[in-house]
Short mmCIF file of all heavy atoms in Angstrom, two decimals:
data_model
loop_
_atom_site.label_atom_id
_atom_site.label_comp_id
_atom_site.label_asym_id
_atom_site.label_seq_id
_atom_site.Cartn_x
_atom_site.Cartn_y
_atom_site.Cartn_z
N MET A 17 0.85 -1.16 -0.03
CA MET A 17 0.00 0.00 0.02
C MET A 17 0.85 1.26 -0.03
O MET A 17 1.92 1.27 0.68
CB MET A 17 -0.89 -0.02 1.19
CG MET A 17 -2.29 0.45 0.92
SD MET A 17 -3.33 0.29 2.46
CE MET A 17 -4.47 -0.89 1.89
N ASP A 18 0.49 2.24 -0.73
CA ASP A 18 1.12 3.47 -0.86
C ASP A 18 1.12 4.27 0.51
O ASP A 18 -0.01 4.59 0.97
CB ASP A 18 0.60 4.29 -1.95
CG ASP A 18 1.52 5.50 -2.28
OD1 ASP A 18 2.56 5.67 -1.70
OD2 ASP A 18 1.04 6.37 -3.06
N PRO A 19 2.21 4.63 1.10
CA PRO A 19 2.17 5.34 2.42
C PRO A 19 1.65 6.68 2.28
O PRO A 19 1.26 7.33 3.23
CB PRO A 19 3.56 5.35 2.94
CG PRO A 19 4.40 5.04 1.76
CD PRO A 19 3.62 4.26 0.80
N ARG A 20 1.62 7.26 1.01
CA ARG A 20 1.08 8.63 0.85
C ARG A 20 -0.43 8.63 0.72
O ARG A 20 -1.01 9.71 0.65
CB ARG A 20 1.68 9.16 -0.42
CG ARG A 20 3.13 9.47 -0.26
CD ARG A 20 3.74 9.80 -1.53
NE ARG A 20 3.72 8.64 -2.45
CZ ARG A 20 3.77 8.71 -3.77
NH1 ARG A 20 3.94 9.76 -4.45
NH2 ARG A 20 3.71 7.59 -4.55
N VAL A 21 -1.00 7.55 0.76
CA VAL A 21 -2.55 7.45 0.68
C VAL A 21 -3.14 8.00 1.91
O VAL A 21 -2.76 7.63 3.05
CB VAL A 21 -3.04 5.99 0.38
CG1 VAL A 21 -4.52 5.88 0.44
CG2 VAL A 21 -2.50 5.45 -0.89
N VAL A 22 -4.10 8.94 1.78
CA VAL A 22 -4.67 9.58 2.96
C VAL A 22 -6.23 9.25 2.90
O VAL A 22 -6.82 9.34 1.89
CB VAL A 22 -4.47 11.10 2.89
CG1 VAL A 22 -5.13 11.78 3.99
CG2 VAL A 22 -2.99 11.40 2.88
N ILE A 23 -6.74 8.95 4.10
CA ILE A 23 -8.17 8.80 4.21
C ILE A 23 -8.77 10.19 4.37
O ILE A 23 -8.35 10.92 5.20
CB ILE A 23 -8.44 7.89 5.38
CG1 ILE A 23 -7.80 6.55 5.21
CG2 ILE A 23 -9.98 7.78 5.60
CD1 ILE A 23 -7.99 5.64 6.46
N GLY A 24 -9.68 10.50 3.51
CA GLY A 24 -10.36 11.78 3.62
C GLY A 24 -11.41 11.85 4.73
O GLY A 24 -11.67 10.90 5.39
N GLU A 25 -11.97 13.00 4.88
CA GLU A 25 -12.99 13.17 5.92
C GLU A 25 -14.23 12.39 5.49
O GLU A 25 -14.50 12.23 4.31
CB GLU A 25 -13.21 14.70 6.15
CG GLU A 25 -12.19 15.49 6.72
CD GLU A 25 -11.17 15.92 5.72
OE1 GLU A 25 -11.50 15.85 4.48
OE2 GLU A 25 -10.12 16.39 6.15
N ILE A 26 -15.08 12.15 6.53
CA ILE A 26 -16.29 11.44 6.26
C ILE A 26 -17.46 12.53 6.26
O ILE A 26 -17.60 13.25 7.22
CB ILE A 26 -16.48 10.34 7.40
CG1 ILE A 26 -15.42 9.31 7.31
CG2 ILE A 26 -17.90 9.75 7.24
CD1 ILE A 26 -15.41 8.32 8.47
N ASN A 27 -18.15 12.54 5.20
CA ASN A 27 -19.22 13.50 5.05
C ASN A 27 -20.50 12.90 5.49
O ASN A 27 -21.04 11.86 5.01
CB ASN A 27 -19.24 13.95 3.60
CG ASN A 27 -20.35 15.01 3.40
OD1 ASN A 27 -21.00 15.49 4.29
ND2 ASN A 27 -20.51 15.39 2.13
N LEU A 28 -21.07 13.46 6.60
CA LEU A 28 -22.39 12.94 7.11
C LEU A 28 -23.35 14.14 7.18
O LEU A 28 -23.23 15.02 8.11
CB LEU A 28 -22.09 12.35 8.54
CG LEU A 28 -23.33 11.62 9.19
CD1 LEU A 28 -23.72 10.45 8.35
CD2 LEU A 28 -22.97 11.23 10.55
N ALA A 29 -24.24 14.12 6.24
CA ALA A 29 -25.27 15.16 6.12
C ALA A 29 -24.56 16.63 6.09
O ALA A 29 -25.04 17.58 6.67
CB ALA A 29 -26.27 15.17 7.23
N GLY A 30 -23.55 16.70 5.25
CA GLY A 30 -22.85 18.02 5.07
C GLY A 30 -21.92 18.44 6.16
O GLY A 30 -21.32 19.47 6.16
N VAL A 31 -21.70 17.57 7.15
CA VAL A 31 -20.78 17.82 8.27
C VAL A 31 -19.67 16.90 8.08
O VAL A 31 -19.87 15.67 8.02
CB VAL A 31 -21.47 17.67 9.68
CG1 VAL A 31 -20.39 17.99 10.79
CG2 VAL A 31 -22.64 18.56 9.86
N PHE A 32 -18.43 17.40 8.12
CA PHE A 32 -17.22 16.52 7.88
C PHE A 32 -16.64 16.07 9.26
O PHE A 32 -16.52 16.89 10.13
CB PHE A 32 -16.13 17.30 7.09
CG PHE A 32 -16.55 17.52 5.67
CD1 PHE A 32 -17.14 18.78 5.36
CD2 PHE A 32 -16.52 16.55 4.80
CE1 PHE A 32 -17.53 19.04 4.00
CE2 PHE A 32 -16.83 16.74 3.41
CZ PHE A 32 -17.44 18.04 3.06
N PHE A 33 -16.42 14.74 9.37
CA PHE A 33 -15.84 14.20 10.61
C PHE A 33 -14.50 13.57 10.22
O PHE A 33 -14.37 13.07 9.16
CB PHE A 33 -16.78 13.07 11.16
CG PHE A 33 -18.07 13.61 11.70
CD1 PHE A 33 -19.26 13.62 10.92
CD2 PHE A 33 -18.09 14.19 12.98
CE1 PHE A 33 -20.39 14.14 11.42
CE2 PHE A 33 -19.28 14.64 13.46
CZ PHE A 33 -20.41 14.63 12.67
N SER A 34 -13.61 13.62 11.19
CA SER A 34 -12.34 12.93 11.02
C SER A 34 -12.50 11.43 11.00
O SER A 34 -13.31 10.92 11.82
CB SER A 34 -11.44 13.36 12.16
OG SER A 34 -10.28 12.55 12.14
N PRO A 35 -11.81 10.72 10.13
CA PRO A 35 -11.90 9.26 10.16
C PRO A 35 -11.51 8.72 11.50
O PRO A 35 -11.97 7.63 11.97
CB PRO A 35 -11.02 8.84 9.11
CG PRO A 35 -10.67 9.96 8.34
CD PRO A 35 -10.99 11.18 9.11
N LEU A 36 -10.52 9.31 12.23
CA LEU A 36 -10.12 8.82 13.52
C LEU A 36 -11.23 8.94 14.48
O LEU A 36 -11.35 8.00 15.39
CB LEU A 36 -8.87 9.72 14.04
CG LEU A 36 -8.28 9.20 15.35
CD1 LEU A 36 -7.80 7.79 15.20
CD2 LEU A 36 -7.14 10.20 15.70
N LEU A 37 -12.07 9.94 14.52
CA LEU A 37 -13.17 10.08 15.40
C LEU A 37 -14.18 8.91 15.15
O LEU A 37 -14.65 8.31 16.06
CB LEU A 37 -13.91 11.38 15.17
CG LEU A 37 -15.09 11.66 16.09
CD1 LEU A 37 -14.65 11.76 17.53
CD2 LEU A 37 -15.88 12.90 15.67
N PHE A 38 -14.38 8.59 13.86
CA PHE A 38 -15.32 7.47 13.59
C PHE A 38 -14.74 6.19 14.08
O PHE A 38 -15.43 5.32 14.64
CB PHE A 38 -15.52 7.46 12.05
CG PHE A 38 -16.24 6.31 11.57
CD1 PHE A 38 -17.65 6.13 11.79
CD2 PHE A 38 -15.61 5.21 10.89
CE1 PHE A 38 -18.37 5.07 11.37
CE2 PHE A 38 -16.32 4.19 10.53
CZ PHE A 38 -17.72 4.04 10.71
N CYS A 39 -13.38 5.96 13.83
CA CYS A 39 -12.78 4.70 14.28
C CYS A 39 -12.77 4.58 15.85
O CYS A 39 -12.97 3.50 16.35
CB CYS A 39 -11.36 4.73 13.79
SG CYS A 39 -11.26 4.48 12.01
N MET A 40 -12.64 5.72 16.56
CA MET A 40 -12.68 5.71 18.00
C MET A 40 -13.99 5.35 18.51
O MET A 40 -14.22 4.67 19.42
CB MET A 40 -12.20 7.04 18.59
CG MET A 40 -10.69 7.29 18.37
SD MET A 40 -10.17 8.86 18.95
CE MET A 40 -10.11 8.57 20.69
N ALA A 41 -15.14 5.80 17.82
CA ALA A 41 -16.48 5.46 18.30
C ALA A 41 -16.76 4.05 18.02
O ALA A 41 -17.30 3.40 18.84
CB ALA A 41 -17.46 6.35 17.40
N VAL A 42 -16.30 3.56 16.90
CA VAL A 42 -16.51 2.06 16.59
C VAL A 42 -15.73 1.18 17.65
O VAL A 42 -16.25 0.28 18.20
CB VAL A 42 -15.98 1.68 15.20
CG1 VAL A 42 -15.87 0.24 15.01
CG2 VAL A 42 -16.99 2.34 14.15
N ALA A 43 -14.42 1.68 17.99
CA ALA A 43 -13.60 0.96 18.91
C ALA A 43 -14.19 1.01 20.30
O ALA A 43 -14.18 0.05 21.05
CB ALA A 43 -12.24 1.49 18.89
N PHE A 44 -14.80 2.09 20.74
CA PHE A 44 -15.47 2.30 21.96
C PHE A 44 -16.60 1.30 22.15
O PHE A 44 -16.68 0.65 23.19
CB PHE A 44 -15.93 3.69 22.18
CG PHE A 44 -16.54 3.96 23.48
CD1 PHE A 44 -15.78 4.05 24.66
CD2 PHE A 44 -17.91 4.07 23.66
CE1 PHE A 44 -16.39 4.21 25.94
CE2 PHE A 44 -18.46 4.26 24.95
CZ PHE A 44 -17.68 4.34 26.06
N VAL A 45 -17.51 1.15 21.11
CA VAL A 45 -18.55 0.19 21.18
C VAL A 45 -18.09 -1.22 21.23
O VAL A 45 -18.49 -2.01 21.98
CB VAL A 45 -19.49 0.45 20.00
CG1 VAL A 45 -20.52 -0.64 19.93
CG2 VAL A 45 -20.17 1.74 20.12
N LEU A 46 -17.03 -1.54 20.39
CA LEU A 46 -16.49 -2.89 20.41
C LEU A 46 -15.82 -3.23 21.68
O LEU A 46 -15.92 -4.31 22.19
CB LEU A 46 -15.47 -2.93 19.27
CG LEU A 46 -16.12 -3.08 17.88
CD1 LEU A 46 -14.92 -3.12 16.80
CD2 LEU A 46 -16.97 -4.30 17.67
N ARG A 47 -15.20 -2.18 22.36
CA ARG A 47 -14.49 -2.50 23.58
C ARG A 47 -15.54 -2.80 24.70
O ARG A 47 -15.32 -3.64 25.52
CB ARG A 47 -13.62 -1.26 24.09
CG ARG A 47 -12.76 -1.69 25.23
CD ARG A 47 -12.39 -0.58 26.14
NE ARG A 47 -13.41 0.17 26.69
CZ ARG A 47 -14.09 -0.12 27.87
NH1 ARG A 47 -13.83 -1.20 28.51
NH2 ARG A 47 -15.02 0.74 28.21
N ILE A 48 -16.65 -2.08 24.72
CA ILE A 48 -17.69 -2.33 25.70
C ILE A 48 -18.25 -3.75 25.49
O ILE A 48 -18.40 -4.58 26.51
CB ILE A 48 -18.79 -1.31 25.56
CG1 ILE A 48 -18.25 0.00 26.20
CG2 ILE A 48 -19.98 -1.86 26.39
CD1 ILE A 48 -19.25 1.17 26.05
N LEU A 49 -18.48 -4.20 24.30
CA LEU A 49 -19.03 -5.48 24.00
C LEU A 49 -18.03 -6.58 24.34
O LEU A 49 -18.35 -7.54 25.01
CB LEU A 49 -19.48 -5.58 22.61
CG LEU A 49 -20.64 -4.75 22.15
CD1 LEU A 49 -20.84 -4.81 20.55
CD2 LEU A 49 -21.89 -5.09 22.84
N LEU A 50 -16.76 -6.31 23.97
CA LEU A 50 -15.74 -7.28 24.26
C LEU A 50 -15.46 -7.36 25.84
O LEU A 50 -15.23 -8.51 26.33
CB LEU A 50 -14.45 -6.98 23.51
CG LEU A 50 -13.45 -8.02 23.43
CD1 LEU A 50 -13.96 -9.21 22.78
CD2 LEU A 50 -12.25 -7.43 22.59
N SER A 51 -15.55 -6.30 26.52
CA SER A 51 -15.31 -6.32 27.90
C SER A 51 -16.43 -7.06 28.64
O SER A 51 -16.07 -7.83 29.57
CB SER A 51 -15.22 -4.82 28.50
OG SER A 51 -14.07 -4.24 28.09
N ARG A 52 -17.69 -6.90 28.23
CA ARG A 52 -18.72 -7.66 28.81
C ARG A 52 -18.51 -9.13 28.59
O ARG A 52 -18.79 -9.95 29.37
CB ARG A 52 -20.06 -7.23 28.24
CG ARG A 52 -20.47 -5.91 28.77
CD ARG A 52 -21.83 -5.48 28.25
NE ARG A 52 -22.18 -4.23 28.78
CZ ARG A 52 -23.25 -3.53 28.41
NH1 ARG A 52 -24.14 -3.99 27.48
NH2 ARG A 52 -23.49 -2.31 28.93
N LEU A 53 -18.05 -9.55 27.37
CA LEU A 53 -17.81 -10.90 27.04
C LEU A 53 -16.69 -11.44 27.93
O LEU A 53 -16.87 -12.56 28.50
CB LEU A 53 -17.52 -11.06 25.55
CG LEU A 53 -17.13 -12.48 25.16
CD1 LEU A 53 -18.26 -13.40 25.16
CD2 LEU A 53 -16.48 -12.46 23.75
N LEU A 54 -15.65 -10.71 28.01
CA LEU A 54 -14.47 -11.11 28.83
C LEU A 54 -14.83 -11.31 30.34
O LEU A 54 -14.35 -12.14 31.02
CB LEU A 54 -13.29 -10.29 28.69
CG LEU A 54 -12.70 -10.21 27.25
CD1 LEU A 54 -11.58 -9.23 27.12
CD2 LEU A 54 -12.09 -11.63 26.87
N GLU A 55 -15.72 -10.33 30.76
CA GLU A 55 -16.08 -10.45 32.10
C GLU A 55 -17.06 -11.61 32.39
O GLU A 55 -16.98 -12.27 33.39
CB GLU A 55 -16.88 -9.18 32.54
CG GLU A 55 -17.19 -9.06 34.01
CD GLU A 55 -17.68 -7.62 34.35
OE1 GLU A 55 -17.73 -6.75 33.47
OE2 GLU A 55 -18.12 -7.52 35.50
N THR A 56 -17.85 -11.97 31.44
CA THR A 56 -18.78 -13.12 31.56
C THR A 56 -18.00 -14.40 31.65
O THR A 56 -18.33 -15.27 32.43
CB THR A 56 -19.72 -13.12 30.36
OG1 THR A 56 -20.49 -11.92 30.29
CG2 THR A 56 -20.69 -14.30 30.42
N VAL A 57 -16.97 -14.54 30.86
CA VAL A 57 -16.20 -15.84 30.83
C VAL A 57 -15.16 -15.87 31.95
O VAL A 57 -14.45 -16.83 32.14
CB VAL A 57 -15.55 -16.08 29.47
CG1 VAL A 57 -16.53 -16.29 28.40
CG2 VAL A 57 -14.54 -15.01 29.16
N GLY A 58 -14.98 -14.80 32.73
CA GLY A 58 -14.05 -14.68 33.77
C GLY A 58 -12.61 -14.40 33.50
O GLY A 58 -11.71 -14.68 34.25
N PHE A 59 -12.42 -13.82 32.33
CA PHE A 59 -11.01 -13.52 31.97
C PHE A 59 -10.43 -12.40 32.86
O PHE A 59 -9.17 -12.48 33.07
CB PHE A 59 -11.12 -12.98 30.40
CG PHE A 59 -9.77 -12.60 29.87
CD1 PHE A 59 -8.85 -13.64 29.48
CD2 PHE A 59 -9.36 -11.21 29.76
CE1 PHE A 59 -7.67 -13.13 28.97
CE2 PHE A 59 -8.13 -10.87 29.28
CZ PHE A 59 -7.32 -11.82 28.89
N TYR A 60 -11.20 -11.57 33.32
CA TYR A 60 -10.60 -10.40 34.07
C TYR A 60 -10.04 -10.83 35.45
O TYR A 60 -9.38 -10.07 36.13
CB TYR A 60 -11.66 -9.33 34.27
CG TYR A 60 -11.79 -8.38 33.07
CD1 TYR A 60 -13.00 -8.29 32.46
CD2 TYR A 60 -10.75 -7.72 32.57
CE1 TYR A 60 -13.20 -7.46 31.30
CE2 TYR A 60 -10.90 -6.85 31.49
CZ TYR A 60 -12.14 -6.81 30.85
OH TYR A 60 -12.24 -5.91 29.77
N ARG A 61 -10.30 -12.06 35.91
CA ARG A 61 -9.73 -12.52 37.13
C ARG A 61 -8.25 -12.63 37.01
O ARG A 61 -7.49 -12.59 37.94
CB ARG A 61 -10.33 -13.83 37.53
CG ARG A 61 -11.80 -13.64 38.09
CD ARG A 61 -12.34 -14.94 38.55
NE ARG A 61 -12.81 -15.63 37.31
CZ ARG A 61 -13.13 -16.85 37.14
NH1 ARG A 61 -13.02 -17.73 38.28
NH2 ARG A 61 -13.50 -17.38 36.09
N ALA A 62 -7.78 -12.83 35.76
CA ALA A 62 -6.37 -13.02 35.51
C ALA A 62 -5.66 -11.68 35.17
O ALA A 62 -4.43 -11.73 35.03
CB ALA A 62 -6.11 -14.02 34.31
N ILE A 63 -6.34 -10.58 35.10
CA ILE A 63 -5.83 -9.30 34.75
C ILE A 63 -5.46 -8.54 36.00
O ILE A 63 -6.36 -8.40 36.89
CB ILE A 63 -6.79 -8.47 33.87
CG1 ILE A 63 -7.03 -9.34 32.59
CG2 ILE A 63 -6.23 -7.17 33.49
CD1 ILE A 63 -5.87 -9.59 31.75
N TRP A 64 -4.30 -8.06 36.13
CA TRP A 64 -3.87 -7.30 37.29
C TRP A 64 -4.42 -5.86 37.34
O TRP A 64 -4.94 -5.39 38.31
CB TRP A 64 -2.29 -7.31 37.32
CG TRP A 64 -1.77 -6.51 38.52
CD1 TRP A 64 -2.01 -6.70 39.83
CD2 TRP A 64 -0.84 -5.40 38.45
NE1 TRP A 64 -1.34 -5.85 40.55
CE2 TRP A 64 -0.59 -5.03 39.74
CE3 TRP A 64 -0.22 -4.69 37.43
CZ2 TRP A 64 0.19 -3.95 40.06
CZ3 TRP A 64 0.63 -3.75 37.73
CH2 TRP A 64 0.80 -3.29 39.00
N GLN A 65 -4.22 -5.13 36.17
CA GLN A 65 -4.65 -3.71 36.12
C GLN A 65 -5.80 -3.70 35.00
O GLN A 65 -5.53 -3.47 33.86
CB GLN A 65 -3.54 -2.84 35.76
CG GLN A 65 -2.59 -2.56 36.81
CD GLN A 65 -3.12 -1.49 37.82
OE1 GLN A 65 -3.98 -0.81 37.48
NE2 GLN A 65 -2.46 -1.48 38.92
N ARG A 66 -7.02 -3.78 35.40
CA ARG A 66 -8.15 -3.79 34.36
C ARG A 66 -8.20 -2.51 33.67
O ARG A 66 -8.33 -2.49 32.38
CB ARG A 66 -9.42 -4.16 35.11
CG ARG A 66 -10.54 -4.20 34.10
CD ARG A 66 -11.87 -4.61 34.71
NE ARG A 66 -12.93 -4.48 33.69
CZ ARG A 66 -14.12 -4.88 33.78
NH1 ARG A 66 -14.49 -5.53 34.96
NH2 ARG A 66 -14.95 -4.73 32.85
N PRO A 67 -8.09 -1.29 34.27
CA PRO A 67 -8.12 -0.04 33.50
C PRO A 67 -7.04 0.03 32.45
O PRO A 67 -7.23 0.56 31.34
CB PRO A 67 -8.03 1.06 34.55
CG PRO A 67 -8.45 0.43 35.83
CD PRO A 67 -8.04 -0.99 35.72
N LEU A 68 -5.83 -0.38 32.80
CA LEU A 68 -4.72 -0.40 31.81
C LEU A 68 -5.04 -1.34 30.70
O LEU A 68 -4.76 -1.04 29.57
CB LEU A 68 -3.44 -0.81 32.54
CG LEU A 68 -2.18 -0.71 31.74
CD1 LEU A 68 -1.94 0.73 31.26
CD2 LEU A 68 -1.00 -1.17 32.51
N PHE A 69 -5.52 -2.52 31.06
CA PHE A 69 -5.87 -3.44 29.97
C PHE A 69 -6.97 -2.95 29.08
O PHE A 69 -6.93 -3.02 27.87
CB PHE A 69 -6.28 -4.79 30.64
CG PHE A 69 -6.70 -5.85 29.62
CD1 PHE A 69 -5.83 -6.62 29.03
CD2 PHE A 69 -8.09 -6.06 29.30
CE1 PHE A 69 -6.14 -7.60 28.07
CE2 PHE A 69 -8.48 -6.93 28.40
CZ PHE A 69 -7.54 -7.77 27.76
N ASP A 70 -8.01 -2.33 29.68
CA ASP A 70 -9.08 -1.77 28.88
C ASP A 70 -8.58 -0.66 27.97
O ASP A 70 -8.98 -0.50 26.81
CB ASP A 70 -10.18 -1.36 29.69
CG ASP A 70 -11.04 -2.49 30.29
OD1 ASP A 70 -11.01 -3.58 29.75
OD2 ASP A 70 -11.76 -2.27 31.26
N THR A 71 -7.64 0.14 28.50
CA THR A 71 -7.17 1.28 27.64
C THR A 71 -6.35 0.67 26.49
O THR A 71 -6.46 1.10 25.34
CB THR A 71 -6.24 2.13 28.49
OG1 THR A 71 -7.01 2.65 29.55
CG2 THR A 71 -5.71 3.26 27.62
N ALA A 72 -5.48 -0.27 26.73
CA ALA A 72 -4.72 -0.91 25.65
C ALA A 72 -5.63 -1.62 24.64
O ALA A 72 -5.46 -1.51 23.43
CB ALA A 72 -3.75 -1.96 26.23
N LEU A 73 -6.74 -2.30 25.07
CA LEU A 73 -7.67 -2.84 24.18
C LEU A 73 -8.35 -1.89 23.38
O LEU A 73 -8.54 -2.09 22.11
CB LEU A 73 -8.76 -3.64 25.07
CG LEU A 73 -9.73 -4.46 24.29
CD1 LEU A 73 -9.14 -5.50 23.44
CD2 LEU A 73 -10.77 -5.03 25.27
N PHE A 74 -8.74 -0.71 23.90
CA PHE A 74 -9.36 0.35 23.12
C PHE A 74 -8.39 0.89 22.08
O PHE A 74 -8.80 1.11 20.92
CB PHE A 74 -9.75 1.54 24.05
CG PHE A 74 -10.21 2.70 23.37
CD1 PHE A 74 -11.45 2.78 22.69
CD2 PHE A 74 -9.45 3.84 23.35
CE1 PHE A 74 -11.87 3.89 22.05
CE2 PHE A 74 -9.89 4.95 22.66
CZ PHE A 74 -11.10 4.98 22.04
N LEU A 75 -7.07 1.05 22.39
CA LEU A 75 -6.17 1.55 21.43
C LEU A 75 -5.89 0.53 20.28
O LEU A 75 -5.74 0.92 19.16
CB LEU A 75 -4.82 1.94 22.10
CG LEU A 75 -4.95 3.15 23.01
CD1 LEU A 75 -3.58 3.31 23.75
CD2 LEU A 75 -5.26 4.39 22.30
N ILE A 76 -5.92 -0.75 20.70
CA ILE A 76 -5.62 -1.79 19.64
C ILE A 76 -6.90 -1.78 18.71
O ILE A 76 -6.72 -1.96 17.51
CB ILE A 76 -5.41 -3.11 20.25
CG1 ILE A 76 -4.06 -3.14 20.95
CG2 ILE A 76 -5.61 -4.29 19.32
CD1 ILE A 76 -3.87 -4.30 21.88
N LEU A 77 -8.12 -1.70 19.26
CA LEU A 77 -9.32 -1.72 18.42
C LEU A 77 -9.41 -0.54 17.62
O LEU A 77 -9.89 -0.58 16.46
CB LEU A 77 -10.57 -1.94 19.35
CG LEU A 77 -10.81 -3.22 19.97
CD1 LEU A 77 -11.85 -3.21 21.07
CD2 LEU A 77 -10.99 -4.38 19.04
N THR A 78 -8.97 0.61 18.10
CA THR A 78 -8.98 1.93 17.25
C THR A 78 -8.01 1.75 16.10
O THR A 78 -8.40 2.07 14.96
CB THR A 78 -8.49 3.04 18.07
OG1 THR A 78 -9.36 3.28 19.25
CG2 THR A 78 -8.54 4.37 17.28
N GLY A 79 -6.84 1.19 16.29
CA GLY A 79 -5.94 0.94 15.24
C GLY A 79 -6.44 0.01 14.20
O GLY A 79 -6.30 0.15 13.00
N ALA A 80 -7.09 -1.11 14.74
CA ALA A 80 -7.66 -2.13 13.82
C ALA A 80 -8.78 -1.47 12.99
O ALA A 80 -8.94 -1.76 11.77
CB ALA A 80 -8.10 -3.28 14.56
N ALA A 81 -9.65 -0.68 13.63
CA ALA A 81 -10.74 0.05 12.88
C ALA A 81 -10.19 0.89 11.85
O ALA A 81 -10.69 1.00 10.72
CB ALA A 81 -11.62 0.67 13.87
N PHE A 82 -9.14 1.61 12.16
CA PHE A 82 -8.53 2.56 11.21
C PHE A 82 -7.90 1.81 10.02
O PHE A 82 -8.04 2.22 8.82
CB PHE A 82 -7.42 3.36 11.86
CG PHE A 82 -7.00 4.56 11.10
CD1 PHE A 82 -7.85 5.80 11.17
CD2 PHE A 82 -5.91 4.65 10.42
CE1 PHE A 82 -7.54 6.84 10.42
CE2 PHE A 82 -5.55 5.80 9.74
CZ PHE A 82 -6.35 6.92 9.75
N LEU A 83 -7.13 0.71 10.25
CA LEU A 83 -6.66 -0.13 9.17
C LEU A 83 -7.79 -0.72 8.33
O LEU A 83 -7.64 -0.72 7.17
CB LEU A 83 -5.75 -1.17 9.72
CG LEU A 83 -4.43 -0.75 10.30
CD1 LEU A 83 -3.67 -1.89 10.83
CD2 LEU A 83 -3.58 -0.06 9.19
N ALA A 84 -8.84 -1.12 8.95
CA ALA A 84 -10.03 -1.71 8.21
C ALA A 84 -10.62 -0.64 7.36
O ALA A 84 -10.91 -0.83 6.23
CB ALA A 84 -11.03 -2.28 9.13
N LEU A 85 -10.80 0.62 7.89
CA LEU A 85 -11.41 1.67 7.11
C LEU A 85 -10.49 2.09 5.95
O LEU A 85 -10.94 2.30 4.82
CB LEU A 85 -11.61 2.89 7.99
CG LEU A 85 -12.24 4.14 7.36
CD1 LEU A 85 -13.65 3.85 6.89
CD2 LEU A 85 -12.24 5.31 8.26
N ARG A 86 -9.18 2.09 6.20
CA ARG A 86 -8.22 2.38 5.12
C ARG A 86 -8.25 1.30 4.01
O ARG A 86 -8.24 1.64 2.84
CB ARG A 86 -6.75 2.45 5.72
CG ARG A 86 -5.80 2.88 4.75
CD ARG A 86 -4.40 3.04 5.39
NE ARG A 86 -3.46 3.43 4.42
CZ ARG A 86 -2.14 3.43 4.73
NH1 ARG A 86 -1.67 3.11 5.87
NH2 ARG A 86 -1.30 3.80 3.76
N GLY A 87 -8.36 0.07 4.39
CA GLY A 87 -8.46 -1.00 3.49
C GLY A 87 -9.81 -1.00 2.65
O GLY A 87 -9.80 -1.31 1.47
N LEU A 88 -10.86 -0.61 3.33
CA LEU A 88 -12.08 -0.52 2.63
C LEU A 88 -12.23 0.58 1.60
O LEU A 88 -12.81 0.58 0.58
CB LEU A 88 -13.30 -0.42 3.64
CG LEU A 88 -13.57 -1.62 4.42
CD1 LEU A 88 -14.64 -1.36 5.55
CD2 LEU A 88 -14.13 -2.78 3.55
N THR A 89 -11.59 1.78 1.96
CA THR A 89 -11.70 2.96 1.11
C THR A 89 -10.73 2.98 -0.05
O THR A 89 -10.90 3.67 -0.95
CB THR A 89 -11.49 4.27 1.99
OG1 THR A 89 -10.26 4.22 2.64
CG2 THR A 89 -12.67 4.38 2.98
N HIS A 90 -9.65 2.18 0.06
CA HIS A 90 -8.59 2.22 -0.98
C HIS A 90 -8.46 0.80 -1.60
O HIS A 90 -7.31 0.41 -1.89
CB HIS A 90 -7.38 2.69 -0.44
CG HIS A 90 -7.42 4.12 0.11
ND1 HIS A 90 -7.58 5.13 -0.83
CD2 HIS A 90 -7.31 4.60 1.37
CE1 HIS A 90 -7.63 6.24 -0.09
NE2 HIS A 90 -7.50 5.99 1.21
N SER A 91 -9.48 0.11 -1.86
CA SER A 91 -9.33 -1.21 -2.51
C SER A 91 -9.65 -1.19 -3.96
O SER A 91 -10.15 -0.21 -4.56
CB SER A 91 -10.15 -2.28 -1.79
OG SER A 91 -11.33 -1.86 -1.15
#
């Protein structure tokens, strides 16, 4: 992939939003769903710092959403 490729703004009813804001919103929803799933199966009993783990999970999901958006818009 060309590193100079830029994801443009997202136009929603004439208002332009940053793609990063969109990816963060998607990651936030996914993190809540994934946290509930992990709590249900008892995964968090093995985690020492849950807030740190949740922050890292959010950042990983934000990056994954951004890469997915980049792949979808430039295919």
Side-chain angles (χ1 to χ4, degrees):
M17 220 176 245
D18 189 6
R20 294 172 291 159
V21 173
V22 178
I23 300 173
E25 291 86 14
I26 297 170
N27 184 3
L28 187 63
V31 179
F32 292 98
F33 292 98
S34 168
L36 183 59
L37 181 65
F38 174 73
C39 292
M40 289 176 76
V42 169
F44 182 72
V45 171
L46 287 175
R47 192 209 52 90
I48 289 175
L49 294 174
L50 196 55
S51 289
R52 287 184 182 173
L53 175 69
L54 292 175
E55 190 171 351
T56 302
V57 298
F59 179 78
Y60 280 121
R61 285 181 282 166
I63 300 299
W64 177 58
Q65 287 280 345
R66 182 174 174 173
L68 183 62
F69 178 82
D70 285 342
T71 302
L73 182 62
F74 173 71
L75 292 174
I76 290 169
L77 290 172
T78 300
F82 197 77
L83 288 175
L85 181 63
R86 183 176 181 189
L88 288 173
T89 57
H90 297 294
S91 25

